Amino acid sequence: MNPAFWRIPACAMAILAVAFVISVNHPAWAQSGSGKEAPSDPLEKFLHQYVEHAGLPGAVVAIGYGEGSVRYAATGYASVRPETGMTRDRQFYIGSLTKMMTAVVTLQLASEKRIDLADPIGKYLPEAFRDRIANADRATIRDLLRNSSGIPDYLDGEFFFELVGRDPQHGWRNVELLPLIADREAYFAPGTNYAASNSNFILLGVMIEAVEGDHIEAVFNRRIFEPAEMINTSFGRYPRPASLARGFDDANGDGQLEDVTDYDVGDQLADGGVISTTEDLVKFARALFFEGVLLGPNAIERATTDTVFAGDGSYGYGLMIGSSDWGPVWGHDGIYFGYSAEFSWFPEQDTVVVFLANGRALNEVPSVTSMLMTGLFGKPD
């Protein structure tokens, strides 16, 4: 995600006309929502228009406030065969939003003195790979968190997806991807630049499992999902949960969306394998940024200020750090085969916007968050 997504592009103005009338900061409007909104609901109308323009099957959006109220809207379809309408309680793959959670667990381990952010990642890798992964002897855990390690992305090229095509229900584990990261040239010397690399968070996942002596899902359950009361969040698995919205993607490049739900492109991986709901991700935002359940204020400050320049914004510890006309905004976007996601926390307003869709846009559209900001916070000063 480019941090410039917080800016509203001119092409958004036609759709944004709907958002201008959404007084989402009004207490009477910010109700908990039942998922059965009246057709005249302005947020649902906005979401419906956005989904149609993007060519998405369906989507859910949630707007949560620090004091606890949440507003939801859902539109489109959770599946097409059979045809089933989208509802707010549906689960979705959240893709790289998982990276925020991997960063949280890493910082928890650091606060417990079980790791040091200055440790080279090679310290926690199987011995057979310590000398085969570029920069592993020099890139620190901090470098991996900030995408400044220079370690190449295992998703560069088509090799991983060829493996998925051969074995679509493999059940990939973090440690299994080490051969795909090994024996490749570094992008740059650690700490000297920024480059988004999924390998950074795979290696953090290997480190977490080694330190905890447990599988990644058990660790996340214990450290994030249970404390934050995220009862509908887990890593992906087979058989697919009945509540999971079917995922659609243009798998063969013909411009048409196909059902790709049953392809495992990382169900158990620390860079993107979590499935969740908008309700649970609002809980995650509150537990992390508002209630201090997951991290203390010192850790949050470091995660959001120890950043690397990343184009039009910065990247902290598993967080994109952006700015807007309404103040700072922290979050991430996410892509998984057949799914897309946005998570945006506004610290000055104690407000989070979560958007989950069961497809990837066929047409170029701005982010949902950028188009809702005027409706959320009024015209900027």
Side-chain angles (χ1 to χ4, degrees):
M1 179 183 70
N2 187 329
F5 96 105
W6 313 124
R7 299 294 177 184
I8 301 175
C11 65
M13 295 310 294
I15 301 179
L16 187 59
V18 178
F20 273 119
V21 302
I22 301 177
S23 302
V24 292
N25 57 341
H26 191 283
W29 204 88
Q31 54 190 316
S32 61
S34 65
K36 297 181 179 180
E37 304 294 347
S40 61
D41 174 63
L43 183 60
E44 187 175 333
K45 288 176 65 176
F46 159 77
L47 185 63
H48 177 76
Q49 188 171 357
Y50 183 92
V51 163
E52 281 201 335
H53 184 69
L56 293 166
V60 183
V61 66
I63 302 167
Y65 302 87
E67 87 285 354
S69 58
V70 187
R71 181 59 171 155
Y72 299 94
T75 193
Y77 297 93
S79 70
V80 295
R81 294 178 182 175
E83 190 173 286
T84 307
M86 184 64 74
T87 53
R88 66 175 244 197
D89 58 348
R90 284 288 180 171
Q91 292 178 304
F92 300 77
Y93 279 91
I94 65 172
S96 287
L97 271 60
T98 304
K99 293 179 170 71
M100 297 187 294
M101 300 173 183
T102 300
V104 166
V105 174
T106 301
L107 290 171
Q108 289 174 345
L109 292 173
S111 71
E112 296 164 7
K113 309 298 183 185
R114 299 180 64 195
I115 63 169
D116 190 312
L117 297 183
D119 287 339
I121 190 60
K123 177 179 178 180
Y124 300 96
L125 300 182
E127 187 174 354
F129 289 95
R130 290 174 187 170
D131 297 328
R132 293 181 56 196
I133 293 177
N135 290 347
D137 60 335
R138 296 182 295 154
T140 65
I141 292 173
R142 171 177 173 263
D143 289 326
L144 272 65
L145 287 169
R146 302 189 314 161
N147 273 328
S148 63
S149 73
I151 295 172
D153 191 347
Y154 76 93
L155 289 180
D156 280 354
E158 296 297 322
F159 187 60
F160 177 70
F161 297 104
E162 291 173 2
L163 294 177
V164 170
R166 295 175 203 162
D167 189 3
Q169 297 188 7
H170 177 80
W172 294 96
R173 304 292 184 177
N174 291 296
V175 72
E176 287 185 282
L177 268 64
L178 293 179
L180 304 186
I181 304 172
D183 306 321
R184 303 172 65 181
E185 292 187 8
Y187 291 155
F188 47 76
T192 63
N193 209 333
Y194 167 88
S197 174
N198 292 283
S199 297
N200 289 323
F201 290 85
I202 293 296
L203 296 177
L204 290 172
V206 172
M207 179 272 294
I208 289 168
E209 291 181 312
V211 172
E212 288 279 80
D214 209 346
H215 182 252
I216 192 77
E217 182 164 26
V219 176
F220 277 40
N221 282 339
R222 188 166 59 243
R223 289 185 169 272
I224 297 179
F225 304 155
E226 291 174 5
E229 299 180 355
M230 299 167 67
I231 60 175
N232 293 306
T233 302
S234 67
F235 278 84
R237 61 190 184 275
Y238 288 105
R240 296 306 195 211
S243 59
L244 180 70
R246 303 294 295 183
F248 296 86
D249 216 308
D250 182 8
N252 55 16
D254 63 356
Q256 303 294 317
L257 294 178
E258 296 89 34
D259 189 327
V260 297
T261 313
D262 293 328
Y263 284 87
D264 168 21
V265 296
D267 277 1
Q268 301 290 314
L269 300 183
D271 64 335
V274 168
I275 58 176
S276 190
T277 64
T278 56
E279 180 179 14
D280 272 7
L281 289 172
V282 169
K283 291 179 180 179
F284 174 71
R286 287 179 50 82
L288 179 59
F289 297 123
F290 189 73
E291 298 168 342
V293 171
L294 301 179
L295 290 177
N298 291 339
I300 294 294
E301 181 178 7
R302 184 167 185 183
T304 57
T305 58
D306 184 11
T307 61
V308 175
F309 179 67
D312 294 319
S314 300
Y315 199 88
Y317 294 177
L319 285 168
M320 294 170 176
I321 309 300
S323 61
S324 74
D325 293 331
W326 297 266
V329 55
W330 309 333
H332 223 292
D333 68 351
I335 294 293
Y336 191 91
F337 197 33
Y339 300 86
S340 52
E342 298 174 26
F343 175 102
S344 309
W345 172 261
F346 295 86
E348 292 185 356
Q349 293 84 8
D350 289 333
T351 298
V352 65
V353 177
V354 178
F355 169 77
L356 301 177
N358 59 334
R360 293 197 284 178
L362 291 176
N363 304 308
E364 186 174 349
V365 288
S367 72
V368 166
T369 305
S370 68
M371 299 179 67
L372 287 175
M373 284 199 276
T374 295
L376 277 167
F377 308 127
K379 292 184 179 180
D381 295 334

